[in-house]
Amino acid sequence: MMLFIFLTLPFFAFCTSDDFSRVKRQARQNNLVPYHGKWPHGVVNYYFDNSTFVGAISDYNMEASVIRGMELISSHTCIQFSRQPSKHMMKIGTVKGQCRAAIGRIYQPSQEFTFSSSCYTAGSAAHELIHALGFYHAHQRLDRDLYLKFNLQEWRMENSFQKQQYKKYGDQLLLVPYDYGSVMQYHDTDEEYLPRDPKYFRTMGSEIVSFYDYYMINVNYECSCDDDDWLECENLGYRNPASCDECVCPYGFGGKDCSQRAEPGETLEALDAWRNTTVTLDAGYTKLLDGRKYRQNDYSYHYLWITAPTNKTIEVEIHNFNDVNCEHGCKSGGVEVKTHEDPRMTSPRTCCMNETEIYRSRNNPTIVMFFNLEGLDEYNLSYRFTD
């Protein structure tokens, strides 16, 4: 199995569009001293630059999004984010339309982390934070050509900035498999690259931090628990270095040891004839200070476990989406039927009715994951088992 992680030289990763997932930038900062990229002891000291960030908070409460992104990482890894003063601090500010972070820790008294309302969500913040921890974009992996089809026009590659955009950096160590659902993987609307497996077209550009995103951080920072602890994790989970009395579980599995269904959810028994069910998932809205409604900064989830007799194939068909946005990355919400044999990998996601199919899975139970960022979504689906 090919495994993956990024070890870096000094660069900046840029996202400078009103659509966070639209632009995928990484540019070299030539005046930096080379460094190894890790934060000592896995502690990232930071502060909010009140001269720029306060005004942004009044519009979108972006501080809450950044804090939530930190919580997602720190609750699944040994990384700690601290506001304690230190000789080296990460300054968090905002520049309109820009989201960017230095790749790894740099040898300067203060390094910049820029976050704006064009990013907003906790997943977008986690993306930039993972850059700050020392990781490149997924489309710049050394093995990317096995998973992406590139259609680069010559005029684009004449621009030095575009060369940085598509460059495969050699200073990488591969420690986790390529995952189209990584929060570090972007979609591309110009067809400059497409997934070799077209089923993953909507999956690319996700704002959900994947299982392997957390895992690569833990491997790089050598996060672990004491060997003499009693807990054994099931379903390919592993002990959580943030809280060693519980496991980090693949999406859809829960309980301390990953042996149970993740909550909230329900378990359904498939028969050899189609059965129907409806799932509603209400994420609600967050209210801005001016009274407007806006999407939440993190997802609500609902999980189905569909069971069947041993050695049967489970089929799932989604008939209707109500109030689900069809978009790249299914950022506002969607559904993932976990058909991949490795539960740690992201399976194809969809949020578009004209792109649905009958999903077939040998996994028992087969997990169906619904996720939503705003308002009330409703799904009608059927399921059964076959030989």
Side-chain angles (χ1 to χ4, degrees):
M1 179 176 66
M2 185 166 286
L3 298 175
F4 175 77
I5 200 167
F6 303 101
L7 300 178
T8 66
L9 293 175
F11 297 99
F12 279 88
F14 290 85
C15 299
T16 58
S17 170
D18 287 340
D19 178 356
F20 164 73
S21 66
R22 170 64 191 89
V23 178
K24 305 161 289 298
R25 308 286 194 221
Q26 186 155 20
R28 185 184 296 250
Q29 185 79 359
N30 290 319
N31 62 346
L32 298 183
V33 178
Y35 66 105
H36 62 77
K38 289 186 182 179
W39 292 78
H41 311 294
V43 178
V44 179
N45 298 87
Y46 73 95
Y47 67 97
F48 287 100
D49 179 9
N50 291 333
S51 66
T52 63
F53 218 73
V54 171
I57 294 172
S58 66
D59 291 331
Y60 289 95
N61 196 13
M62 291 189 302
E63 181 176 350
S65 297
V66 174
I67 294 297
R68 179 57 183 158
M70 292 177 176
E71 290 172 348
L72 289 172
I73 293 171
S74 63
S75 64
H76 291 83
T77 71
C78 66
I79 300 299
Q80 300 177 49
F81 296 93
S82 173
R83 296 200 192 196
Q84 290 293 323
S86 173
K87 291 182 179 179
H88 186 91
M89 303 283 287
M90 183 170 70
K91 180 176 72 172
I92 302 176
T94 188
V95 176
K96 184 177 181 180
Q98 292 191 13
C99 303
R100 65 186 182 188
I103 303 293
R105 184 180 184 272
I106 62 176
Y107 282 135
Q108 289 182 342
S110 178
Q111 68 182 76
E112 292 190 358
F113 178 103
T114 301
F115 196 71
S116 72
S117 59
S118 60
C119 308
Y120 178 72
T121 65
S124 299
H127 172 103
E128 299 302 335
L129 291 167
I130 293 173
H131 278 317
L133 290 172
F135 299 91
Y136 292 126
H137 292 129
H139 71 273
Q140 293 172 306
R141 286 175 53 131
L142 292 175
D143 61 348
R144 68 176 188 193
D145 295 319
L146 297 174
Y147 303 94
L148 301 173
K149 294 185 292 184
F150 281 79
N151 180 31
L152 302 180
Q153 299 181 25
E154 185 175 350
W155 68 269
R156 289 185 178 275
M157 298 311 293
E158 293 174 354
N159 183 297
S160 61
F161 198 60
Q162 292 291 342
K163 289 180 180 179
Q164 294 291 342
Q165 158 76 2
Y166 293 106
K167 181 179 179 179
K168 291 190 292 186
Y169 294 102
D171 53 337
Q172 299 181 26
L173 221 56
L174 300 182
L175 294 175
V176 300
Y178 200 107
D179 188 352
Y180 289 111
S182 169
V183 78
M184 306 307 290
Q185 170 69 64
Y186 288 154
H187 78 271
D188 197 295
T189 57
D190 293 335
E191 296 187 354
E192 290 169 342
Y193 62 77
L194 293 169
R196 291 193 177 274
D197 186 342
K199 293 181 179 179
Y200 282 93
F201 179 72
R202 295 293 174 190
T203 309
M204 293 168 54
S206 172
E207 293 183 0
I208 297 174
V209 185
S210 74
F211 179 93
Y212 275 121
D213 289 333
Y214 294 126
Y215 186 72
M216 72 178 181
I217 295 171
N218 283 319
V219 173
N220 192 30
Y221 280 85
E222 301 179 24
C223 306
S224 64
C225 294
D226 294 336
D227 292 337
D228 57 357
D229 284 356
W230 60 270
L231 185 63
E232 294 186 6
C233 302
E234 299 187 21
N235 294 305
L236 298 179
Y238 63 94
R239 286 165 57 204
N240 187 352
S243 179
C244 290
D245 62 349
E246 63 183 26
C247 300
V248 177
C249 305
Y251 283 95
F253 294 103
K256 285 186 174 292
D257 61 355
C258 305
S259 64
Q260 302 174 35
R261 186 192 67 232
E263 298 294 346
E266 57 184 314
T267 300
L268 304 174
E269 181 183 0
L271 302 177
D272 57 0
W274 288 105
R275 307 183 80 174
N276 301 317
T277 191
T278 298
V279 173
T280 57
L281 182 55
D282 190 358
Y285 295 91
T286 187
K287 286 188 176 180
L288 304 182
L289 295 182
D290 63 5
R292 290 178 296 157
K293 293 192 301 183
Y294 202 67
R295 58 182 175 167
Q296 303 288 3
N297 65 17
D298 198 11
Y299 291 96
S300 297
Y301 295 91
H302 188 87
Y303 301 93
L304 296 182
W305 269 21
I306 301 178
T307 63
T310 304
N311 296 325
K312 298 295 184 181
T313 296
I314 295 174
E315 296 186 337
V316 178
E317 183 175 11
I318 303 171
H319 298 293
N320 192 37
F321 299 163
N322 290 325
D323 295 323
V324 180
N325 293 331
C326 178
E327 59 187 339
H328 292 287
C330 293
K331 294 181 198 51
S332 298
V335 60
E336 176 186 344
V337 181
K338 290 196 167 288
T339 56
H340 201 291
E341 61 184 7
D342 182 351
R344 299 167 294 184
M345 291 289 290
T346 305
S347 294
R349 293 175 180 156
T350 187
C351 47
C352 305
M353 270 307 304
N354 62 345
E355 298 172 5
T356 61
E357 61 180 87
I358 296 179
Y359 299 91
R360 294 177 173 86
S361 170
R362 297 291 289 179
N363 300 325
N364 195 358
T366 289
I367 295 168
V368 185
M369 183 180 84
F370 304 88
F371 53 98
N372 186 17
L373 206 60
E374 59 180 329
L376 176 66
D377 289 351
E378 181 178 277
Y379 301 85
N380 300 314
L381 59 149
S382 300
Y383 58 96
R384 69 175 181 181
F385 71 76
T386 65
D387 291 327

